[in-house]
Amino acid sequence: MLDATSSYKPMDRRIPVDDRTGHRIVPETIRRSDRAPENRYGNRPTMKDVAARAGVGLKTVSRVVNGEPGVTPETERRVQEAIDALGFRRNDSARVLRKGRTASIGLVLEDLADPFYGPLSRAVEEVARAHGALLINGSSAEDPDREQELALALCARRVDGLVIIPAGDDHRYMEPELKAGVATVFVDRPAGQIDADCVLSDNHGGARDGVAHLIAHGHRRIGFIGDMPRIHTAAERLRGYRAAMEDAGIPVEDSWMSLGVTDPERVRRAAEEMLTGPSPVTAIFAGNNRVTVTVIRVLAEQTRRVAFVGFDDIELADLLQPGVTVVAQDAAALGRTAAERLFRQLDGTLVTPERIELPTRLITRGSGELPPAD
Amino acid sequence: MLDATSSYKPMDRRIPVDDRTGHRIVPETIRRSDRAPENRYGNRPTMKDVAARAGVGLKTVSRVVNGEPGVTPETERRVQEAIDALGFRRNDSARVLRKGRTASIGLVLEDLADPFYGPLSRAVEEVARAHGALLINGSSAEDPDREQELALALCARRVDGLVIIPAGDDHRYMEPELKAGVATVFVDRPAGQIDADCVLSDNHGGARDGVAHLIAHGHRRIGFIGDMPRIHTAAERLRGYRAAMEDAGIPVEDSWMSLGVTDPERVRRAAEEMLTGPSPVTAIFAGNNRVTVTVIRVLAEQTRRVAFVGFDDIELADLLQPGVTVVAQDAAALGRTAAERLFRQLDGTLVTPERIELPTRLITRGSGELPPAD
DNA sequence: CCTGGATCTGACAACGTTGTCCAGGCCCTA
DNA sequence: TAGGGCCTGGACAACGTTGTCAGATCCAGG
């Protein structure tokens, strides 16, 4: 074994040096040994290779690739030919390292598969594209740790900015990043423990309007099913529900509220309990789209007609019997507004963090206009 | 002017050199002038800064950051302290440049806002995450040029691999990339003009089954509304429709087919025409989810009961009256399978490009089982 | 023929990280 | 106590690109 290792040692450790440049001359075999070949991107051609083939200098290739002026058409042609022949493509990692800007922004969202976030994500992408930036995204799956991990990974990639749909409620981990100049906008839910830009829907007002709508149609015993109050949107909507009830002078019974419930099985149970309890509700307000779809299923099975209003619009809501009345928020507008603020931060146009609330819209389709039946 | 420029010229062009290290000593003001300050990421601390603060060597910091062995707990603690104090975050661009792998994969899809692609995208992300990679994505908006632009931009970022939902039908632009070792998997639709891995649904078989289902319930005049046949999935589904009709010995009339139609207005007109034409259909087969939602709206307005089967499942399909019978494809499975093949390409486990077809599933809910009414 | 200016081209350093290699200190054994 | 191996730490080059700056070339005007 000692023999084996020692046999790899070159006899003379001194490395020959080029007299003119002072550069070390290292045999190709040794030089290459420092690269782990399996780690390379299949040895793609570099500008150096293109330059050699076109018989020009490195910088000239760079100029052609970037469309900088000061290159004769003839030279440009030769370089372009070499580029095509070699299949050269500029290495943006090196470019980023040199230039300091990545022309990409990150999006941390909760779940790409949720139909609410698709349009939001798409809107962010469109704005990014208009500014020549790429979008890198990741799903936190509603896990605060994963949100942090993702956000910081994106910062390590040196994204120019970050749009975050928070899963957690403590974002102090972003402080060094903000200080370092990473543009950041929180969307859908506010940042926790730090002062940052955020773009929200008017969750409180929307929920209040929705519940008031039910009250206006004669309901007094109204149920609320929503997510955990530690989630800002859920808390605000609950607050809106309470506000509407209080405005109407209706005392809320505990059995009418079910919090922290989103998975279909538990939503179903919660809905059934409030419909059959000692003080059965005549209407239900759902805190988000996932709750809505389950509650609708439960209501479809009831013989009694129960009124319903949901937060978030859902597809085909108009085709159901009755049509589903909802408080709609504009996911695309949320994404667009957030992304635009992000780029204004990057421009330097924007300095003071603000909280922006976008209005919601009550869409009446039938289910919310049913009279109390008891 | 000559004076002005010459005044910036140092008298002596030779640059002072440190005797010990041989490094050139350059005055700070000159060194900094080469950076464009507005391009820097707010002067984030580097490993060098951390090393200086912790009083250790550069490589030691690198070891701590990467959890490499060979650092005493005491040294590690000092380094960690410096990292926290300075808010250091490793620059992954530099890391990528050095290591050659980006630990990220790209996804080029058609439209993030389409509910079909949400789960697909999410599935790709989950697989990527399991392999420690980030997902960078972009929407082609069904535009072949934009698809190419995006795919090549991702290659310039040196993503390790690429999952592409093709918009175009000529992918020769990817040839240099494939040669350079960029792992590539096409999903939902096959690659055009090149030999590459692809993962598809059984569009032909699914459509044939769906149409055969209508035929089995007594229908003979069946309409087909789908996308442009230049899109592979649309062509295959049309072929499935024709096959089912032919199997049953039913000649297809031109007025029963509407191709290249997806926007709601035109779908509506197409559906109405086949319902009222000289040879009115008693059933409609829809080629994708967007067509489905519009056709359902049109059918809901009809007095006559028209049978319906759609390709792609839609949310709440079971709650409509009647329930919507569909040929469902598993978007998540498509994404998962594609991403897994991608990483097997990167492992080197996979060499020959293959075409994989995933089965579809007919879900009967009522609309496809209506008898002909004419 | 020379000079001055404009235009084009290329040499070189630097961006921040990691792999390699070597030096020095330590411990263990003979 | 000498000689070895092991452990820790640091110097240095290289990754591929771009900004700077100076050299080369060419032309017009004297």
Side-chain angles (χ1 to χ4, degrees):
Chain A
M1 174 133 168
L2 191 141
D3 287 330
T5 49
S6 67
S7 76
Y8 285 119
K9 279 187 192 164
M11 298 301 282
D12 183 357
R13 291 219 148 271
R14 277 170 310 154
I15 293 174
V17 170
D18 183 317
D19 295 323
R20 196 175 52 79
T21 65
H23 285 341
R24 294 187 174 183
I25 304 169
V26 184
E28 187 64 11
T29 49
I30 292 186
R31 263 196 52 226
R32 292 288 157 179
S33 77
D34 124 300
R35 328 173 136 198
E38 71 277 8
N39 278 349
R40 315 289 325 134
Y41 0 70
N43 269 330
R44 292 200 71 138
T46 71
M47 286 191 178
K48 205 166 137 192
D49 301 323
V50 174
R53 178 168 179 129
V56 301
L58 183 53
K59 185 62 220 242
T60 302
V61 177
S62 171
R63 274 192 271 260
V64 171
V65 169
N66 294 295
E68 287 169 27
V71 181
T72 22
E74 162 58 15
T75 310
E76 174 163 1
R77 196 190 50 73
R78 281 219 318 283
V79 171
Q80 196 52 251
E81 245 176 49
I83 288 177
D84 294 339
L86 296 173
F88 167 81
R89 180 114 26 233
R90 181 179 64 197
N91 185 329
D92 275 354
S93 297
R95 174 168 224 253
V96 161
L97 177 58
R98 185 61 232 240
K99 302 201 68 148
R101 283 268 161 142
T102 55
S104 57
I105 66 172
L107 172 63
V108 179
L109 40 70
E110 191 231 293
D111 182 1
L112 253 183
D114 185 322
F116 177 70
Y117 296 114
L120 195 158
S121 173
R122 177 66 194 277
V124 172
E125 186 192 355
E126 287 303 323
V127 176
R129 183 180 147 81
H131 286 82
L134 270 183
L135 181 66
I136 308 182
N137 63 9
S139 302
S140 68
E142 202 71 79
D143 173 354
D145 292 338
R146 195 159 152 185
E147 172 208 309
Q148 172 171 351
E149 183 196 324
L150 258 171
L152 293 182
L154 291 169
C155 289
R157 300 268 159 138
R158 294 294 188 272
V159 291
D160 297 334
L162 216 41
V163 175
I164 301 180
I165 298 172
D169 47 13
D170 183 355
H171 297 94
R172 276 173 298 184
Y173 68 84
M174 281 296 295
E175 263 173 0
E177 315 301 326
L178 292 174
K179 235 177 262 161
V182 180
T184 309
V185 179
F186 290 80
V187 66
D188 191 40
R189 306 167 189 173
Q193 316 275 356
I194 62 170
D195 192 28
D197 247 337
C198 60
V199 178
L200 314 171
S201 277
D202 179 9
N203 293 292
H204 176 261
R208 196 189 47 209
D209 293 351
V211 175
H213 183 72
L214 289 167
I215 295 173
H217 282 81
H219 297 271
R220 294 185 59 82
R221 297 198 305 278
I222 303 173
F224 177 94
I225 306 182
D227 218 326
M228 290 163 292
R230 75 162 180 80
I231 299 176
H232 175 265
T233 48
E236 283 296 290
R237 292 171 196 175
L238 175 60
R239 216 160 59 77
Y241 162 81
R242 286 183 179 284
M245 296 295 267
E246 195 173 323
D247 287 351
I250 306 171
V252 174
E253 295 190 18
D254 282 351
S255 66
W256 297 346
M257 291 182 301
S258 177
L259 309 177
V261 168
T262 47
D263 67 295
E265 206 35 63
R266 295 182 57 202
V267 170
R268 166 171 292 275
R269 226 173 29 240
E272 284 167 351
E273 276 169 16
M274 30 183 98
L275 288 169
T276 56
S279 167
V281 301
T282 63
I284 292 181
F285 185 84
N288 65 45
N289 54 358
R290 281 165 302 175
V291 173
T292 293
V293 298
T294 306
V295 172
I296 289 176
R297 288 210 163 78
V298 173
L299 296 187
E301 298 160 5
Q302 304 291 314
T303 49
R304 178 159 65 101
R305 297 274 261 178
V306 177
F308 177 87
V309 174
F311 209 106
D312 291 337
D313 203 359
I314 54 175
E315 205 173 20
L316 297 180
D318 56 326
L319 285 185
L320 297 172
Q321 293 297 338
V324 183
T325 294
V326 299
V327 176
Q329 44 180 341
D330 190 340
L334 281 174
R336 197 174 339 108
T337 310
E340 273 162 5
R341 283 189 75 81
L342 191 79
F343 283 102
R344 280 179 53 207
Q345 279 184 30
L346 288 172
D347 287 352
T349 325
L350 206 61
V351 274
T352 359
E354 262 183 290
R355 169 192 288 224
I356 296 183
E357 287 203 351
L358 301 184
T360 56
R361 198 161 53 95
L362 181 74
I363 305 178
T364 58
R365 297 197 180 103
S367 73
E369 294 73 51
L370 295 173
D374 49 353
Chain B
M1 174 132 167
L2 192 139
D3 287 331
T5 50
S6 67
S7 76
Y8 284 119
K9 279 187 193 165
M11 299 302 283
D12 183 357
R13 291 222 146 271
R14 277 171 308 156
I15 294 173
V17 170
D18 183 316
D19 294 322
R20 195 175 51 80
T21 63
H23 285 342
R24 295 184 173 185
I25 304 168
V26 184
E28 186 65 10
T29 50
I30 293 187
R31 265 196 51 228
R32 291 289 156 179
S33 79
D34 127 300
R35 328 173 135 196
E38 73 276 10
N39 278 348
R40 316 288 326 134
Y41 358 72
N43 271 331
R44 294 201 71 137
T46 71
M47 286 191 178
K48 205 166 137 193
D49 302 322
V50 174
R53 178 167 181 129
V56 303
L58 183 54
K59 187 61 221 253
T60 301
V61 177
S62 171
R63 274 192 271 261
V64 171
V65 169
N66 294 295
E68 287 168 28
V71 182
T72 20
E74 162 57 14
T75 309
E76 174 163 0
R77 196 190 51 73
R78 280 220 317 283
V79 171
Q80 197 52 251
E81 244 175 50
I83 288 178
D84 294 340
L86 295 173
F88 167 81
R89 180 109 32 229
R90 180 178 64 198
N91 185 329
D92 275 354
S93 297
R95 174 169 223 250
V96 160
L97 179 59
R98 183 63 232 242
K99 302 202 67 149
R101 284 265 161 145
T102 55
S104 57
I105 66 172
L107 172 63
V108 179
L109 40 70
E110 190 231 295
D111 182 2
L112 254 182
D114 184 324
F116 176 70
Y117 295 113
L120 193 156
S121 173
R122 178 67 194 278
V124 171
E125 187 192 354
E126 286 304 323
V127 176
R129 184 179 146 82
H131 287 82
L134 269 183
L135 182 65
I136 307 183
N137 63 9
S139 302
S140 68
E142 201 70 82
D143 173 353
D145 292 336
R146 196 160 151 184
E147 172 209 307
Q148 171 171 349
E149 182 197 324
L150 257 172
L152 293 181
L154 291 168
C155 289
R157 299 269 159 135
R158 295 293 188 272
V159 291
D160 297 335
L162 216 39
V163 175
I164 300 179
I165 297 172
D169 46 13
D170 182 355
H171 297 94
R172 277 173 298 184
Y173 69 83
M174 280 297 294
E175 263 172 0
E177 314 302 324
L178 292 174
K179 235 177 260 161
V182 180
T184 309
V185 179
F186 290 80
V187 67
D188 191 40
R189 307 168 189 173
Q193 316 275 356
I194 62 168
D195 193 28
D197 247 338
C198 59
V199 179
L200 316 171
S201 277
D202 180 9
N203 292 292
H204 176 262
R208 198 190 46 211
D209 293 352
V211 175
H213 183 71
L214 289 168
I215 294 172
H217 281 82
H219 297 273
R220 293 186 61 81
R221 298 198 305 280
I222 302 173
F224 177 94
I225 305 181
D227 219 325
M228 292 163 292
R230 75 162 180 77
I231 298 175
H232 175 265
T233 47
E236 282 294 290
R237 292 170 196 176
L238 174 60
R239 217 163 58 75
Y241 163 80
R242 286 181 179 284
M245 296 296 266
E246 196 174 322
D247 287 351
I250 306 172
V252 174
E253 294 189 18
D254 281 351
S255 66
W256 295 348
M257 291 181 302
S258 177
L259 310 178
V261 169
T262 46
D263 68 293
E265 206 35 62
R266 295 181 57 202
V267 169
R268 167 171 290 275
R269 223 169 35 235
E272 284 167 351
E273 275 168 18
M274 29 182 101
L275 288 170
T276 57
S279 168
V281 301
T282 62
I284 292 181
F285 185 85
N288 66 45
N289 54 357
R290 279 165 303 174
V291 173
T292 293
V293 296
T294 307
V295 172
I296 290 176
R297 287 211 162 79
V298 173
L299 296 187
E301 298 160 5
Q302 305 291 313
T303 48
R304 178 158 64 100
R305 296 275 262 178
V306 178
F308 177 86
V309 174
F311 208 106
D312 290 338
D313 203 0
I314 54 176
E315 203 173 22
L316 297 180
D318 56 324
L319 284 187
L320 297 172
Q321 294 297 340
V324 183
T325 295
V326 298
V327 177
Q329 43 180 342
D330 190 341
L334 280 172
R336 198 174 336 109
T337 309
E340 274 161 4
R341 284 188 74 82
L342 191 79
F343 283 101
R344 282 180 51 207
Q345 280 183 30
L346 288 172
D347 287 352
T349 325
L350 206 62
V351 273
T352 359
E354 261 183 292
R355 169 192 290 225
I356 295 184
E357 288 203 351
L358 301 185
T360 56
R361 198 161 52 96
L362 182 74
I363 306 178
T364 58
R365 296 198 181 102
S367 74
E369 294 74 50
L370 295 174
D374 49 354

